Amino acid sequence: MDIWDTACQELLAEVAKAKKSDTLPSENARGFWTEALTAFEHGGNECVAGAGKKDEAQASAGIREVQKGISRLAAAVSMIKSDLEAK
């Protein structure tokens, strides 16, 4: 659980940085990007809260939410790649 806590806290720090950066090379990807950050933030918070309480079920639920964010991020990256190749 300590490893999950540390990893999720690091994820939350990176999400905070990403939210401050408003430069995406593709407007088409913005929705997926926003969904990914939201899932990372919500999942990361659940993971940290669960790990802090040694509540494996809550921490695991947070990690599953983070995994959803990963799929959204993959979609955003794919869309960005396509848009950049089209230029």
Side-chain angles (χ1 to χ4, degrees):
M1 295 291 274
D2 292 338
I3 293 170
W4 290 0
D5 183 50
T6 300
C8 291
Q9 286 186 33
E10 289 174 5
L11 173 65
L12 290 171
E14 292 302 319
V15 167
K17 288 181 198 174
K19 288 175 87 173
K20 290 179 184 176
S21 174
D22 195 34
T23 55
L24 269 183
S26 167
E27 268 307 307
N28 293 325
R30 187 163 303 280
F32 288 114
W33 175 256
T34 301
E35 289 174 16
L37 292 181
T38 299
F40 290 153
E41 186 171 44
H42 180 261
N45 284 324
E46 283 297 302
C47 173
V48 169
K53 297 185 296 190
K54 304 295 187 214
D55 182 341
E56 189 172 334
Q58 183 179 11
S60 292
I63 290 171
R64 285 191 299 277
E65 185 73 19
V66 168
Q67 290 169 333
K68 289 178 188 176
I70 292 170
S71 69
R72 292 305 197 193
L73 181 60
V77 169
S78 178
M79 194 168 284
I80 291 167
K81 181 180 178 206
S82 293
D83 286 354
L84 290 175
E85 288 173 349
K87 289 184 179 185

